[in-house]
Amino acid sequence: SVELTVVICTHNPREDYLGRTLDALKAQTLPYEQWDFLVVDNASDPPLRERLDLSWHPQSRIVEEPELGIFRAGYVGLTEAKTPLV
């Protein structure tokens, strides 16, 4: 069963930093079936949906938040999470 949701909030991320973060998530040992993965795209230009491949994780998704700001992005991450542990 799904135990936790990993949330990344980002706005126009540096691809090298985001790539290292995604590589670390791919390499961790908790099976993908036990955690959801959510990326909150906080008004990135161009949108992350057009350039970010999360197909490696079967329970991943990108949610777009057009209002810029960490509070809004974090709020969306918490409300979109499918588990109580975020």
Side-chain angles (χ1 to χ4, degrees):
S1 72
V2 178
E3 299 177 11
L4 65 103
T5 301
V6 173
V7 178
I8 295 177
C9 299
T10 188
H11 167 72
N12 292 333
R14 283 186 48 173
E15 292 194 22
D16 55 336
Y17 287 2
L18 184 56
R20 286 197 309 244
T21 301
L22 296 176
D23 287 344
L25 285 171
K26 290 177 192 176
Q28 59 76 44
T29 59
L30 188 66
Y32 295 147
E33 298 79 31
Q34 294 183 15
W35 57 285
D36 288 325
F37 182 37
L38 174 63
V39 175
V40 178
D41 179 4
N42 192 208
S44 294
D45 185 24
L48 289 179
R49 187 174 307 284
E50 298 174 6
R51 56 194 165 112
L52 187 60
D53 179 14
L54 299 180
S55 63
W56 56 270
H57 192 294
Q59 299 182 92
S60 64
R61 59 201 166 102
I62 298 172
V63 175
E64 295 178 2
E65 171 48 54
E67 184 180 327
L68 188 58
I70 189 62
F71 176 78
R72 267 313 289 168
Y75 178 78
V76 169
L78 290 173
T79 58
E80 291 285 330
K82 296 180 178 178
T83 65
L85 182 59
V86 178

